[in-house]
Amino acid sequence: STLLLVLQVVRELAVFPSQDPLDRADFNAVEYINTLFPTEQSLANIDEVVNKIRLKIRRLDDNIRTVVRGQTNVGQDGRQALEEAQKAIQQLFGKIKDIKDKAEKSEQMVKEITRDIKQLDHAKRHLTTSITTLNHLHMLAGGVDSLEAMTRRRQYGEVANLLQGVMNVLEHFHKYMGIPQIRQLSERVKAAQTELGQQILADFEEAFPSQGTKRPGGPSNVLRDACLVANILDPRIKQEIIKKFIKQHLSEYLVLFQENQDVAWLDKIDRRYAWIKRQLVDYEEKYGRMFPREWCMAERIAVEFCHVTRTELAKIMRTRAKEIEVKLLLFAIQRTTNFEGFLAKRFSGCTLTDGTLKKLESPPPSTNPFLEDEPTPEMEELATEKGDLDQPKKPKAPDNPFHGIVSKCFEPHLYVYIESQDKNLGELIDRFVADFKAQGPPKPNTDEGGAVLPSCADLFVYYKKCMVQCSQLSTGEPMIALTTIFQKYLREYAWKILSGNLPKTTTSSGGLTISSLLKEKEGSEVAKFTLEELCLICSILSTAEYCLATTQQLEEKLKEKVDVSLIERINLTGEMDTFSTVISSSIQLLVQDLDAACDPALTAMSKMQWQNVEHVGDQSPYVTSVILHIKQNVPIIRDNLASTRKYFTQFCIKFANSFIPKFITHLFKCKPISMVGAEQLLLDTHSLKMVLLDLPSIGSQVVRKAPASYTKIVVKGMTRAEMILKVVMAPHEPLVVFVDNYIKLLTDCNTETFQKILDMKGLKRSEQSSMLELLRQRLPAPPSGAESSGSLSLMAPTPEQESSRIRKLEKLIKKRL
């Protein structure tokens, strides 16, 4: 107990962190004593341990005593240091106060020294301002007097310079307008400006009277100086001068081209533009130096002429709308757009403040094949001289500010052009149909691939001409109407020229027809497409592909031409789908033809007595027949689809997807099969597999690797046929091994396929039932829906019953016929 008490005291006195077990918060004295004295023999040195602990207690007491005494001395030292600091702060405060007092005295001294200097500076500034103001006042007073005198003498040259100076000086007196003299001078300046404006207008009215047709002989130096003065006066004076001069300059035009004059109609529209060109030349010769260059008077005359012409043409075309014909309208449009191009070359368009036409961004380079090599303006002029009014013109430059300034008046009458194009395109389609019937199908092309029908290129060339002509005049609703016409005749071309000329099949590949039932001879040849018909199908396919790609580019070009707000209404997706349908139909015809050509060989295969085959030889005759048909058709199709390689690949894929399931179906009809017969069929299947894998390049001098997508389909389908035959070849005893072998070889195994294989082996129904039951046990449990469908399939008629029914139906139909 004494030892426990000592240890407790030692532990409580230890206040600093330590690794000593006595300092731990969870200290257990009993455990610690057990650690010191693990055995009874170790109790012999208990006195030594107690002495050590007592020694430690004494040391702790000494340390505590020393610390307590030291803290007592520290408190006394701290109080002494605090008193010394307070004394130092008092001394520092006194010094700062002395410095502040001295600074205030210094500032007062500086103010007294600089007071006189500031007064002198203020006096100098006021004196300078007064002298400057007096000089300006003297200049203003003298300038006003001189301005009034020069105005009376019409010395406009001197007035222009003086007036600008007076107005500049007057700006300095805006804050002195409360002074009567200054206000009086300002009013005199305003009166002089008003008088100058009225006087200059009167001078121009006298020189260029509104009434009368005779013009003065030449420009006046007085009027030239007056224009310089008008630049300084109220802008309305300048505008009035320009307005009167242009009105007088165009007065003759309004008389010569009145609505009741013969030259006012569209067929003589050239005379309007020839007249203004002469007037512009006349203006440059007579009045070019009279008006300041920045007034752009020649451009203003041309712009006003355009506005007047647009109004007059719109009025006369409304009155005589029934007389407007397509050729006349195109002629007028062409001459007008040429004139607008002439204006764009000569003038900058800086006076077009009404936003006649916004500038458009340059369109990106087009890959459209029918929009290349557009005619230059020189070619247009040459074509027009030759009388070819339908010659397509170069589209307007995107930065022509004058585009539409006159030609917008033709927009309400574009329905005449649209109706004409509707009629022309209808006649063009009819001509294509007639030419096709007269010329017959295209000749076989084995060098450059399937030939695209020439009518296709002609159609899109005509589309190009219509689109360019229409976009030159309007990029609004007329372009939408023209797009609708394009859509109509793209569909008609697809129906009448392409789909309408595809060869018709005489029999259905999957159905039962009268012609097939009347065949008396087993394995007789079915109707096949001739070489010309195969080439025609390939040509139509190539043409449809060209139309598909070009229609997509046509849609993009139309969207470039039309206004941004109407882009969403340009949509040729339906027409592209139509051409895609033609392509699919063409490929399907080619597949059906080759597929039907192989049908007799597959029928012959199913009719052979495979249980009587005694030895395995070379490939069977039906395989040779299939290979022969493939070698006859595929090279022709490949050569004629050389320019559309992806569609030839589609043809190969679709044929494989059609032929392989049909081959497996006929394979199931081969029953019963002996072991040797199954081996022969396996050999034949492998031969067909090799031929199908080589089908894309069969008969070609250049051997290409078949596409991976096609190879995958052939390998998967034909491997399944080989696995079926391997199951047929396997012995059906023992049953478990046979069933497991079937499940292993055929990944898509089911009871229906298993029963067909048992039929091929020639097993009896009693044997089949036990094997089917064993298969159901070995297969994983299907979902409820699959189980019910499997039970229904077992209840369906067997292939023998179905074949018997078909033979009875054939006999009945033959008897009645």
Side-chain angles (χ1 to χ4, degrees), residues 647-675:
Y647 293 117
F648 174 70
T649 302
Q650 287 188 20
F651 158 76
C652 295
I653 291 174
K654 287 188 176 183
F655 173 72
N657 281 327
S658 174
F659 175 80
I660 295 175
K662 184 180 292 187
F663 172 73
I664 294 176
T665 301
H666 283 78
L667 198 62
F668 283 132
K669 295 180 181 180
C670 299
K671 54 188 176 182
I673 304 177
S674 64
M675 178 67 70

PDB file of all heavy atoms in Angstrom, residues 647-675:
ATOM      1  N   TYR A 647     -21.890   0.900-103.528  1.00  0.00           N
ATOM      2  CA  TYR A 647     -23.154   0.236-103.835  1.00  0.00           C
ATOM      3  C   TYR A 647     -22.929  -1.172-104.379  1.00  0.00           C
ATOM      4  O   TYR A 647     -23.780  -2.040-104.228  1.00  0.00           O
ATOM      5  CB  TYR A 647     -23.976   1.076-104.818  1.00  0.00           C
ATOM      6  CG  TYR A 647     -24.443   2.369-104.192  1.00  0.00           C
ATOM      7  CD1 TYR A 647     -24.025   3.605-104.690  1.00  0.00           C
ATOM      8  CD2 TYR A 647     -25.270   2.367-103.079  1.00  0.00           C
ATOM      9  CE1 TYR A 647     -24.437   4.785-104.104  1.00  0.00           C
ATOM     10  CE2 TYR A 647     -25.688   3.540-102.488  1.00  0.00           C
ATOM     11  CZ  TYR A 647     -25.274   4.745-103.003  1.00  0.00           C
ATOM     12  OH  TYR A 647     -25.680   5.907-102.411  1.00  0.00           O
ATOM     13  N   PHE A 648     -21.782  -1.408-104.995  1.00  0.00           N
ATOM     14  CA  PHE A 648     -21.448  -2.781-105.369  1.00  0.00           C
ATOM     15  C   PHE A 648     -21.240  -3.620-104.109  1.00  0.00           C
ATOM     16  O   PHE A 648     -21.644  -4.786-104.051  1.00  0.00           O
ATOM     17  CB  PHE A 648     -20.199  -2.798-106.248  1.00  0.00           C
ATOM     18  CG  PHE A 648     -19.705  -4.191-106.563  1.00  0.00           C
ATOM     19  CD1 PHE A 648     -20.428  -5.024-107.419  1.00  0.00           C
ATOM     20  CD2 PHE A 648     -18.539  -4.674-105.982  1.00  0.00           C
ATOM     21  CE1 PHE A 648     -19.982  -6.310-107.691  1.00  0.00           C
ATOM     22  CE2 PHE A 648     -18.094  -5.951-106.257  1.00  0.00           C
ATOM     23  CZ  PHE A 648     -18.817  -6.780-107.114  1.00  0.00           C
ATOM     24  N   THR A 649     -20.609  -3.028-103.096  1.00  0.00           N
ATOM     25  CA  THR A 649     -20.450  -3.742-101.820  1.00  0.00           C
ATOM     26  C   THR A 649     -21.814  -4.039-101.205  1.00  0.00           C
ATOM     27  O   THR A 649     -22.037  -5.135-100.671  1.00  0.00           O
ATOM     28  CB  THR A 649     -19.598  -2.898-100.859  1.00  0.00           C
ATOM     29  OG1 THR A 649     -18.326  -2.640-101.465  1.00  0.00           O
ATOM     30  CG2 THR A 649     -19.400  -3.621 -99.534  1.00  0.00           C
ATOM     31  N   GLN A 650     -22.737  -3.079-101.283  1.00  0.00           N
ATOM     32  CA  GLN A 650     -24.089  -3.327-100.778  1.00  0.00           C
ATOM     33  C   GLN A 650     -24.759  -4.469-101.532  1.00  0.00           C
ATOM     34  O   GLN A 650     -25.462  -5.297-100.946  1.00  0.00           O
ATOM     35  CB  GLN A 650     -24.937  -2.062-100.892  1.00  0.00           C
ATOM     36  CG  GLN A 650     -24.581  -0.981 -99.892  1.00  0.00           C
ATOM     37  CD  GLN A 650     -25.570   0.168 -99.927  1.00  0.00           C
ATOM     38  OE1 GLN A 650     -26.693   0.035-100.409  1.00  0.00           O
ATOM     39  NE2 GLN A 650     -25.134   1.321 -99.431  1.00  0.00           N
ATOM     40  N   PHE A 651     -24.544  -4.505-102.840  1.00  0.00           N
ATOM     41  CA  PHE A 651     -25.107  -5.593-103.642  1.00  0.00           C
ATOM     42  C   PHE A 651     -24.571  -6.941-103.154  1.00  0.00           C
ATOM     43  O   PHE A 651     -25.329  -7.909-102.971  1.00  0.00           O
ATOM     44  CB  PHE A 651     -24.769  -5.370-105.119  1.00  0.00           C
ATOM     45  CG  PHE A 651     -24.824  -6.619-105.958  1.00  0.00           C
ATOM     46  CD1 PHE A 651     -26.049  -7.158-106.345  1.00  0.00           C
ATOM     47  CD2 PHE A 651     -23.655  -7.284-106.334  1.00  0.00           C
ATOM     48  CE1 PHE A 651     -26.100  -8.326-107.100  1.00  0.00           C
ATOM     49  CE2 PHE A 651     -23.701  -8.440-107.079  1.00  0.00           C
ATOM     50  CZ  PHE A 651     -24.933  -8.961-107.465  1.00  0.00           C
ATOM     51  N   CYS A 652     -23.266  -7.024-102.926  1.00  0.00           N
ATOM     52  CA  CYS A 652     -22.676  -8.284-102.462  1.00  0.00           C
ATOM     53  C   CYS A 652     -23.245  -8.691-101.104  1.00  0.00           C
ATOM     54  O   CYS A 652     -23.573  -9.866-100.872  1.00  0.00           O
ATOM     55  CB  CYS A 652     -21.152  -8.133-102.374  1.00  0.00           C
ATOM     56  SG  CYS A 652     -20.345  -7.856-103.975  1.00  0.00           S
ATOM     57  N   ILE A 653     -23.382  -7.722-100.207  1.00  0.00           N
ATOM     58  CA  ILE A 653     -23.890  -8.030 -98.866  1.00  0.00           C
ATOM     59  C   ILE A 653     -25.338  -8.508 -98.938  1.00  0.00           C
ATOM     60  O   ILE A 653     -25.721  -9.494 -98.294  1.00  0.00           O
ATOM     61  CB  ILE A 653     -23.751  -6.790 -97.963  1.00  0.00           C
ATOM     62  CG1 ILE A 653     -22.271  -6.508 -97.678  1.00  0.00           C
ATOM     63  CG2 ILE A 653     -24.510  -6.976 -96.654  1.00  0.00           C
ATOM     64  CD1 ILE A 653     -22.031  -5.229 -96.909  1.00  0.00           C
ATOM     65  N   LYS A 654     -26.148  -7.829 -99.729  1.00  0.00           N
ATOM     66  CA  LYS A 654     -27.559  -8.220 -99.825  1.00  0.00           C
ATOM     67  C   LYS A 654     -27.703  -9.587-100.492  1.00  0.00           C
ATOM     68  O   LYS A 654     -28.582 -10.377-100.126  1.00  0.00           O
ATOM     69  CB  LYS A 654     -28.345  -7.158-100.593  1.00  0.00           C
ATOM     70  CG  LYS A 654     -28.563  -5.882 -99.801  1.00  0.00           C
ATOM     71  CD  LYS A 654     -29.515  -4.933-100.517  1.00  0.00           C
ATOM     72  CE  LYS A 654     -29.796  -3.718 -99.657  1.00  0.00           C
ATOM     73  NZ  LYS A 654     -30.764  -2.801-100.289  1.00  0.00           N
ATOM     74  N   PHE A 655     -26.859  -9.873-101.483  1.00  0.00           N
ATOM     75  CA  PHE A 655     -26.943 -11.193-102.123  1.00  0.00           C
ATOM     76  C   PHE A 655     -26.558 -12.288-101.125  1.00  0.00           C
ATOM     77  O   PHE A 655     -27.214 -13.335-101.060  1.00  0.00           O
ATOM     78  CB  PHE A 655     -26.021 -11.240-103.345  1.00  0.00           C
ATOM     79  CG  PHE A 655     -25.925 -12.613-103.954  1.00  0.00           C
ATOM     80  CD1 PHE A 655     -26.993 -13.152-104.663  1.00  0.00           C
ATOM     81  CD2 PHE A 655     -24.778 -13.391-103.785  1.00  0.00           C
ATOM     82  CE1 PHE A 655     -26.917 -14.424-105.219  1.00  0.00           C
ATOM     83  CE2 PHE A 655     -24.691 -14.661-104.331  1.00  0.00           C
ATOM     84  CZ  PHE A 655     -25.775 -15.170-105.050  1.00  0.00           C
ATOM     85  N   ALA A 656     -25.514 -12.043-100.352  1.00  0.00           N
ATOM     86  CA  ALA A 656     -25.107 -13.045 -99.349  1.00  0.00           C
ATOM     87  C   ALA A 656     -26.215 -13.247 -98.322  1.00  0.00           C
ATOM     88  O   ALA A 656     -26.519 -14.379 -97.929  1.00  0.00           O
ATOM     89  CB  ALA A 656     -23.810 -12.602 -98.672  1.00  0.00           C
ATOM     90  N   ASN A 657     -26.841 -12.160 -97.888  1.00  0.00           N
ATOM     91  CA  ASN A 657     -27.924 -12.267 -96.909  1.00  0.00           C
ATOM     92  C   ASN A 657     -29.152 -12.970 -97.480  1.00  0.00           C
ATOM     93  O   ASN A 657     -29.969 -13.508 -96.727  1.00  0.00           O
ATOM     94  CB  ASN A 657     -28.331 -10.873 -96.421  1.00  0.00           C
ATOM     95  CG  ASN A 657     -27.377 -10.334 -95.386  1.00  0.00           C
ATOM     96  OD1 ASN A 657     -26.816 -11.087 -94.592  1.00  0.00           O
ATOM     97  ND2 ASN A 657     -27.155  -9.023 -95.396  1.00  0.00           N
ATOM     98  N   SER A 658     -29.292 -12.947 -98.805  1.00  0.00           N
ATOM     99  CA  SER A 658     -30.429 -13.619 -99.432  1.00  0.00           C
ATOM    100  C   SER A 658     -30.103 -15.068 -99.804  1.00  0.00           C
ATOM    101  O   SER A 658     -30.911 -15.980 -99.591  1.00  0.00           O
ATOM    102  CB  SER A 658     -30.864 -12.841-100.680  1.00  0.00           C
ATOM    103  OG  SER A 658     -31.876 -13.538-101.379  1.00  0.00           O
ATOM    104  N   PHE A 659     -28.912 -15.295-100.359  1.00  0.00           N
ATOM    105  CA  PHE A 659     -28.570 -16.613-100.876  1.00  0.00           C
ATOM    106  C   PHE A 659     -28.301 -17.616 -99.753  1.00  0.00           C
ATOM    107  O   PHE A 659     -28.762 -18.777 -99.813  1.00  0.00           O
ATOM    108  CB  PHE A 659     -27.345 -16.511-101.794  1.00  0.00           C
ATOM    109  CG  PHE A 659     -26.837 -17.827-102.282  1.00  0.00           C
ATOM    110  CD1 PHE A 659     -27.453 -18.473-103.357  1.00  0.00           C
ATOM    111  CD2 PHE A 659     -25.755 -18.450-101.664  1.00  0.00           C
ATOM    112  CE1 PHE A 659     -26.989 -19.703-103.812  1.00  0.00           C
ATOM    113  CE2 PHE A 659     -25.294 -19.674-102.114  1.00  0.00           C
ATOM    114  CZ  PHE A 659     -25.921 -20.306-103.183  1.00  0.00           C
ATOM    115  N   ILE A 660     -27.549 -17.212 -98.725  1.00  0.00           N
ATOM    116  CA  ILE A 660     -27.136 -18.168 -97.700  1.00  0.00           C
ATOM    117  C   ILE A 660     -28.332 -18.737 -96.939  1.00  0.00           C
ATOM    118  O   ILE A 660     -28.424 -19.964 -96.766  1.00  0.00           O
ATOM    119  CB  ILE A 660     -26.109 -17.517 -96.753  1.00  0.00           C
ATOM    120  CG1 ILE A 660     -24.823 -17.188 -97.537  1.00  0.00           C
ATOM    121  CG2 ILE A 660     -25.801 -18.423 -95.579  1.00  0.00           C
ATOM    122  CD1 ILE A 660     -23.775 -16.440 -96.729  1.00  0.00           C
ATOM    123  N   PRO A 661     -29.302 -17.936 -96.455  1.00  0.00           N
ATOM    124  CA  PRO A 661     -30.475 -18.544 -95.804  1.00  0.00           C
ATOM    125  C   PRO A 661     -31.256 -19.466 -96.737  1.00  0.00           C
ATOM    126  O   PRO A 661     -31.769 -20.509 -96.319  1.00  0.00           O
ATOM    127  CB  PRO A 661     -31.312 -17.339 -95.374  1.00  0.00           C
ATOM    128  CG  PRO A 661     -30.335 -16.221 -95.257  1.00  0.00           C
ATOM    129  CD  PRO A 661     -29.339 -16.461 -96.334  1.00  0.00           C
ATOM    130  N   LYS A 662     -31.329 -19.065 -98.026  1.00  0.00           N
ATOM    131  CA  LYS A 662     -32.046 -19.913 -98.982  1.00  0.00           C
ATOM    132  C   LYS A 662     -31.293 -21.232 -99.177  1.00  0.00           C
ATOM    133  O   LYS A 662     -31.912 -22.306 -99.295  1.00  0.00           O
ATOM    134  CB  LYS A 662     -32.202 -19.178-100.317  1.00  0.00           C
ATOM    135  CG  LYS A 662     -33.029 -19.946-101.337  1.00  0.00           C
ATOM    136  CD  LYS A 662     -33.146 -19.170-102.640  1.00  0.00           C
ATOM    137  CE  LYS A 662     -33.980 -17.929-102.445  1.00  0.00           C
ATOM    138  NZ  LYS A 662     -34.243 -17.251-103.733  1.00  0.00           N
ATOM    139  N   PHE A 663     -29.978 -21.173 -99.226  1.00  0.00           N
ATOM    140  CA  PHE A 663     -29.190 -22.401 -99.366  1.00  0.00           C
ATOM    141  C   PHE A 663     -29.414 -23.323 -98.164  1.00  0.00           C
ATOM    142  O   PHE A 663     -29.579 -24.543 -98.319  1.00  0.00           O
ATOM    143  CB  PHE A 663     -27.705 -22.032 -99.492  1.00  0.00           C
ATOM    144  CG  PHE A 663     -26.778 -23.215 -99.459  1.00  0.00           C
ATOM    145  CD1 PHE A 663     -26.671 -24.082-100.545  1.00  0.00           C
ATOM    146  CD2 PHE A 663     -26.019 -23.484 -98.319  1.00  0.00           C
ATOM    147  CE1 PHE A 663     -25.815 -25.170-100.504  1.00  0.00           C
ATOM    148  CE2 PHE A 663     -25.174 -24.569 -98.268  1.00  0.00           C
ATOM    149  CZ  PHE A 663     -25.071 -25.417 -99.371  1.00  0.00           C
ATOM    150  N   ILE A 664     -29.439 -22.764 -96.952  1.00  0.00           N
ATOM    151  CA  ILE A 664     -29.662 -23.582 -95.758  1.00  0.00           C
ATOM    152  C   ILE A 664     -31.068 -24.174 -95.775  1.00  0.00           C
ATOM    153  O   ILE A 664     -31.273 -25.341 -95.391  1.00  0.00           O
ATOM    154  CB  ILE A 664     -29.415 -22.733 -94.497  1.00  0.00           C
ATOM    155  CG1 ILE A 664     -27.925 -22.347 -94.412  1.00  0.00           C
ATOM    156  CG2 ILE A 664     -29.845 -23.471 -93.246  1.00  0.00           C
ATOM    157  CD1 ILE A 664     -27.594 -21.425 -93.259  1.00  0.00           C
ATOM    158  N   THR A 665     -32.042 -23.391 -96.258  1.00  0.00           N
ATOM    159  CA  THR A 665     -33.411 -23.908 -96.358  1.00  0.00           C
ATOM    160  C   THR A 665     -33.471 -25.107 -97.300  1.00  0.00           C
ATOM    161  O   THR A 665     -34.113 -26.131 -96.994  1.00  0.00           O
ATOM    162  CB  THR A 665     -34.349 -22.795 -96.850  1.00  0.00           C
ATOM    163  OG1 THR A 665     -34.299 -21.703 -95.919  1.00  0.00           O
ATOM    164  CG2 THR A 665     -35.782 -23.303 -96.967  1.00  0.00           C
ATOM    165  N   HIS A 666     -32.815 -25.004 -98.460  1.00  0.00           N
ATOM    166  CA  HIS A 666     -32.779 -26.148 -99.393  1.00  0.00           C
ATOM    167  C   HIS A 666     -31.944 -27.293 -98.820  1.00  0.00           C
ATOM    168  O   HIS A 666     -32.192 -28.465 -99.148  1.00  0.00           O
ATOM    169  CB  HIS A 666     -32.215 -25.714-100.750  1.00  0.00           C
ATOM    170  CG  HIS A 666     -33.213 -24.964-101.585  1.00  0.00           C
ATOM    171  ND1 HIS A 666     -33.522 -23.648-101.365  1.00  0.00           N
ATOM    172  CD2 HIS A 666     -33.976 -25.361-102.646  1.00  0.00           C
ATOM    173  CE1 HIS A 666     -34.421 -23.243-102.256  1.00  0.00           C
ATOM    174  NE2 HIS A 666     -34.716 -24.264-103.050  1.00  0.00           N
ATOM    175  N   LEU A 667     -30.983 -26.954 -97.994  1.00  0.00           N
ATOM    176  CA  LEU A 667     -30.172 -27.997 -97.381  1.00  0.00           C
ATOM    177  C   LEU A 667     -31.025 -28.883 -96.469  1.00  0.00           C
ATOM    178  O   LEU A 667     -30.860 -30.115 -96.431  1.00  0.00           O
ATOM    179  CB  LEU A 667     -29.037 -27.345 -96.574  1.00  0.00           C
ATOM    180  CG  LEU A 667     -27.837 -28.237 -96.203  1.00  0.00           C
ATOM    181  CD1 LEU A 667     -27.136 -28.734 -97.462  1.00  0.00           C
ATOM    182  CD2 LEU A 667     -26.852 -27.438 -95.348  1.00  0.00           C
ATOM    183  N   PHE A 668     -31.957 -28.257 -95.757  1.00  0.00           N
ATOM    184  CA  PHE A 668     -32.842 -29.035 -94.895  1.00  0.00           C
ATOM    185  C   PHE A 668     -33.776 -29.947 -95.701  1.00  0.00           C
ATOM    186  O   PHE A 668     -34.298 -30.935 -95.167  1.00  0.00           O
ATOM    187  CB  PHE A 668     -33.677 -28.094 -94.022  1.00  0.00           C
ATOM    188  CG  PHE A 668     -32.903 -27.511 -92.871  1.00  0.00           C
ATOM    189  CD1 PHE A 668     -32.947 -26.146 -92.598  1.00  0.00           C
ATOM    190  CD2 PHE A 668     -32.117 -28.309 -92.056  1.00  0.00           C
ATOM    191  CE1 PHE A 668     -32.245 -25.607 -91.546  1.00  0.00           C
ATOM    192  CE2 PHE A 668     -31.415 -27.773 -90.991  1.00  0.00           C
ATOM    193  CZ  PHE A 668     -31.466 -26.427 -90.741  1.00  0.00           C
ATOM    194  N   LYS A 669     -33.997 -29.581 -96.992  1.00  0.00           N
ATOM    195  CA  LYS A 669     -34.871 -30.409 -97.823  1.00  0.00           C
ATOM    196  C   LYS A 669     -34.169 -31.662 -98.340  1.00  0.00           C
ATOM    197  O   LYS A 669     -34.824 -32.546 -98.916  1.00  0.00           O
ATOM    198  CB  LYS A 669     -35.392 -29.586 -99.002  1.00  0.00           C
ATOM    199  CG  LYS A 669     -36.297 -28.419 -98.593  1.00  0.00           C
ATOM    200  CD  LYS A 669     -36.767 -27.648 -99.815  1.00  0.00           C
ATOM    201  CE  LYS A 669     -37.647 -26.465 -99.413  1.00  0.00           C
ATOM    202  NZ  LYS A 669     -38.108 -25.699-100.582  1.00  0.00           N
ATOM    203  N   CYS A 670     -32.858 -31.709 -98.188  1.00  0.00           N
ATOM    204  CA  CYS A 670     -32.094 -32.877 -98.655  1.00  0.00           C
ATOM    205  C   CYS A 670     -32.220 -33.995 -97.599  1.00  0.00           C
ATOM    206  O   CYS A 670     -31.485 -34.006 -96.600  1.00  0.00           O
ATOM    207  CB  CYS A 670     -30.633 -32.508 -98.882  1.00  0.00           C
ATOM    208  SG  CYS A 670     -30.395 -31.230-100.131  1.00  0.00           S
ATOM    209  N   LYS A 671     -33.123 -34.917 -97.801  1.00  0.00           N
ATOM    210  CA  LYS A 671     -33.354 -35.986 -96.810  1.00  0.00           C
ATOM    211  C   LYS A 671     -33.950 -37.195 -97.514  1.00  0.00           C
ATOM    212  O   LYS A 671     -34.692 -37.033 -98.508  1.00  0.00           O
ATOM    213  CB  LYS A 671     -34.261 -35.471 -95.699  1.00  0.00           C
ATOM    214  CG  LYS A 671     -35.575 -34.863 -96.192  1.00  0.00           C
ATOM    215  CD  LYS A 671     -36.333 -34.200 -95.069  1.00  0.00           C
ATOM    216  CE  LYS A 671     -37.587 -33.507 -95.619  1.00  0.00           C
ATOM    217  NZ  LYS A 671     -38.328 -32.804 -94.579  1.00  0.00           N
ATOM    218  N   PRO A 672     -33.613 -38.359 -97.053  1.00  0.00           N
ATOM    219  CA  PRO A 672     -32.564 -38.613 -96.040  1.00  0.00           C
ATOM    220  C   PRO A 672     -31.185 -38.540 -96.666  1.00  0.00           C
ATOM    221  O   PRO A 672     -31.034 -38.596 -97.879  1.00  0.00           O
ATOM    222  CB  PRO A 672     -32.902 -40.010 -95.571  1.00  0.00           C
ATOM    223  CG  PRO A 672     -33.515 -40.650 -96.758  1.00  0.00           C
ATOM    224  CD  PRO A 672     -34.296 -39.589 -97.483  1.00  0.00           C
ATOM    225  N   ILE A 673     -30.180 -38.381 -95.820  1.00  0.00           N
ATOM    226  CA  ILE A 673     -28.799 -38.238 -96.292  1.00  0.00           C
ATOM    227  C   ILE A 673     -27.948 -39.327 -95.646  1.00  0.00           C
ATOM    228  O   ILE A 673     -28.005 -39.521 -94.431  1.00  0.00           O
ATOM    229  CB  ILE A 673     -28.224 -36.856 -95.925  1.00  0.00           C
ATOM    230  CG1 ILE A 673     -29.103 -35.734 -96.474  1.00  0.00           C
ATOM    231  CG2 ILE A 673     -26.808 -36.700 -96.450  1.00  0.00           C
ATOM    232  CD1 ILE A 673     -28.638 -34.354 -96.083  1.00  0.00           C
ATOM    233  N   SER A 674     -27.194 -39.999 -96.501  1.00  0.00           N
ATOM    234  CA  SER A 674     -26.260 -41.001 -95.968  1.00  0.00           C
ATOM    235  C   SER A 674     -24.994 -40.306 -95.487  1.00  0.00           C
ATOM    236  O   SER A 674     -24.803 -39.107 -95.701  1.00  0.00           O
ATOM    237  CB  SER A 674     -25.927 -42.016 -97.060  1.00  0.00           C
ATOM    238  OG  SER A 674     -25.250 -41.369 -98.137  1.00  0.00           O
ATOM    239  N   MET A 675     -24.134 -41.060 -94.855  1.00  0.00           N
ATOM    240  CA  MET A 675     -22.877 -40.506 -94.370  1.00  0.00           C
ATOM    241  C   MET A 675     -22.050 -39.956 -95.517  1.00  0.00           C
ATOM    242  O   MET A 675     -21.504 -38.857 -95.453  1.00  0.00           O
ATOM    243  CB  MET A 675     -22.102 -41.588 -93.618  1.00  0.00           C
ATOM    244  CG  MET A 675     -20.744 -41.134 -93.092  1.00  0.00           C
ATOM    245  SD  MET A 675     -20.884 -39.899 -91.806  1.00  0.00           S
ATOM    246  CE  MET A 675     -21.555 -40.940 -90.496  1.00  0.00           C
TER     247      MET A 675
END
